[in-house]
Amino acid sequence: MKVIVVGAGVVGTMHAWHAVERGHEVVHIEREAEARGASLRNFGQIWVSGRAGGEELDTALRARELWEGIGARVPGLGFRAIGSLTPVRNDLERAVAEAAATRPDAAARGYELLTADEARAVNPALRGEFEAALWCERDAAVEPRTAQLALREALLATGRYTFLPDREVREVVGERAVRDDRGEVHGGDAVVLCTGAWLSGLVREVAGEIPVRRVRLQMMQTDPLGEPLTTSVADADSFRYYPAYASGALDALNAGQAQDPTAAAHRMQLLMVQRLDGGLTIGDTHEYEHPFAFDTLEDPYEHLTRVVESFLGHPLPKVRRRWAGVYAQCVDTTRVVHRQKVREGVWLVTGPGGRGMTCSPAIAETTANELGW
């Protein structure tokens, strides 16, 4: 079988990976020299902790298993089974963490409520003031800026993979073929369009208006911390954002503790991961209304800096990079991904939202299974 994959972000690359793993030939087409979108502009988190119970959690857990297996074969991914800590500062926040730790699926996530001293034993870099922390053992991390490159190197080594950069696919030609902007036609037994946040042009032509929206975020990265940050770190605003934390305790938190005005205005949470070079990737904001701003705002960065410094107990290292990104998210956020047959033998896979890095291996595996690869 020959599979044509359009889009070299993490979702497209994982579709190519599963096709090659099953013995097929892959032609992988990317409109840039290499992917430059949300697949690079994220935390690199394999984020199990906040996922909704049911299909979303099952997908994340399966993806976590796949990431670990692939990471063992492709060291360049930088896979680390580091877990995460969410420090809490008062009784209202602690109650949400306690409710999460008693969920029926808490053991599958690796939830455990730790005292402050226990949390610092897990992550000694957290020298600031907090009362307790929610530990999630199943969370992990990879290196987002280099993951696709490492996977591509491994795919090329198989001899069954061809990468065609700097080619924008303009048209689906009949069944199971596409034409790029150089006029070349690429045909096979199946075509998978993994176009990320590119929802106009070709996507609108073949699929119409789909129930997927675009979301903008702001993030930053610092100079090396100077010591290991041994886990990912979140703050209690993540309780307000992720569906796993829905509970009466969360209702009480929302009623009894107003979110910081900057965080509320920009729909913020803190997530923080240490990169292999020692720097910290920190975010993020969420903007849903179009047209998106073309510039970045300082208030969210200042808020994130204050929160991080309160956990670390000392000033943040110098910020060396700031960026904005855009990802595609299903309008019905309970859906893991939008998967649609748009022509005979041609499928569109998009809209995982902020789950893309986490869930992409399992999303691609499901596509492969459903298409009978």
Side-chain angles (χ1 to χ4, degrees):
M1 177 182 286
K2 182 178 182 180
V3 180
I4 312 299
V5 179
V6 178
V10 70
V11 174
T13 302
M14 282 298 179
H15 278 81
W17 178 270
H18 279 285
V20 169
E21 281 287 281
R22 297 178 186 211
H24 307 312
E25 179 186 352
V26 170
V27 175
H28 199 179
I29 307 172
E30 165 58 39
R31 63 177 177 168
E32 304 276 2
E34 58 186 55
R36 310 304 294 167
S39 296
L40 281 72
R41 307 181 195 197
N42 66 75
F43 299 95
Q45 284 181 309
I46 317 304
W47 189 245
V48 173
S49 50
R51 302 300 170 204
E55 180 189 3
E56 183 177 343
L57 177 60
D58 291 345
T59 302
L61 287 170
R62 174 57 180 160
R64 166 65 170 77
E65 180 182 359
L66 290 167
W67 272 118
E68 186 165 13
I70 298 169
R73 296 170 54 189
V74 186
L77 289 179
F79 177 86
R80 287 104 67 201
I82 56 176
S84 72
L85 287 171
T86 303
V88 296
R89 303 180 190 276
N90 55 50
D91 289 345
L92 287 171
E93 294 178 1
R94 179 197 289 266
V96 181
E98 289 174 341
T102 59
R103 288 179 58 103
D105 54 19
R109 301 170 188 267
Y111 276 161
E112 184 180 355
L113 187 62
L114 305 181
T115 67
D117 286 344
E118 289 170 338
R120 292 189 184 99
V122 173
N123 192 338
L126 298 179
R127 298 186 180 90
E129 294 300 318
F130 56 93
E131 293 186 1
L134 182 64
W135 163 248
C136 181
E137 181 269 338
R138 296 303 292 162
D139 288 336
V142 295
E143 292 300 289
R145 290 175 180 262
T146 57
Q148 281 74 244
L149 300 179
L151 288 168
R152 187 188 310 153
E153 183 178 350
L155 287 166
L156 288 167
T158 68
R160 297 193 305 276
Y161 173 84
T162 302
F163 182 60
L164 300 177
D166 292 316
R167 295 171 184 252
E168 183 174 313
V169 170
R170 295 287 181 82
E171 181 184 7
V172 173
V173 182
E175 298 180 1
R176 302 178 176 87
V178 296
R179 179 180 289 113
D180 66 27
D181 57 1
R182 303 185 186 196
E184 295 184 27
V185 174
H186 310 275
D189 300 286
V191 175
V192 185
L193 307 175
C194 301
T195 56
W198 179 37
L199 303 176
S200 58
L202 174 71
V203 173
R204 183 174 292 134
E205 179 180 329
V206 299
E209 297 296 332
I210 60 176
V212 175
R213 64 181 176 179
R214 300 169 78 238
V215 181
R216 183 180 183 269
L217 55 84
Q218 285 186 205
M219 296 175 62
M220 63 182 179
Q221 188 167 330
T222 72
D223 278 342
L225 179 62
E227 65 179 320
L229 186 77
T230 55
T231 72
S232 297
V233 177
D235 73 346
D237 280 338
S238 68
F239 294 157
R240 307 176 195 266
Y241 185 77
Y242 284 106
Y245 305 117
S247 64
L250 179 61
D251 295 339
L253 173 66
N254 287 328
Q257 179 174 306
Q259 190 176 19
D260 177 274
T262 298
H266 298 280
R267 301 176 177 89
M268 295 181 68
Q269 59 177 339
L270 168 71
L271 295 178
M272 177 169 62
V273 186
Q274 189 171 45
R275 302 272 64 91
L276 290 177
D277 69 358
L280 304 176
T281 298
I282 301 170
D284 63 347
T285 64
H286 300 87
E287 182 180 355
Y288 302 97
E289 292 78 24
H290 288 247
F292 292 145
F294 60 84
D295 47 7
T296 59
L297 299 174
E298 281 301 300
D299 286 354
Y301 292 120
E302 292 171 358
H303 168 78
L304 290 169
T305 298
R306 289 193 297 271
V307 175
V308 171
E309 290 180 347
S310 73
F311 287 152
L312 295 178
H314 60 75
L316 191 67
K318 179 182 178 180
V319 175
R320 65 183 183 189
R321 296 189 180 103
R322 305 175 192 267
W323 67 88
V326 177
Y327 60 73
Q329 178 188 60
C330 290
V331 174
D332 176 0
T333 56
T334 65
R335 295 181 60 196
V336 173
V337 73
H338 179 77
R339 188 182 288 105
Q340 178 182 348
K341 182 179 179 180
V342 296
R343 298 275 178 86
E344 189 62 37
V346 182
W347 291 78
L348 172 67
V349 183
T350 188
R355 296 172 287 226
M357 202 70 183
T358 295
C359 293
S360 56
I363 289 170
E365 181 182 58
T366 299
T367 302
N369 291 340
E370 290 187 358
L371 272 59
W373 292 358

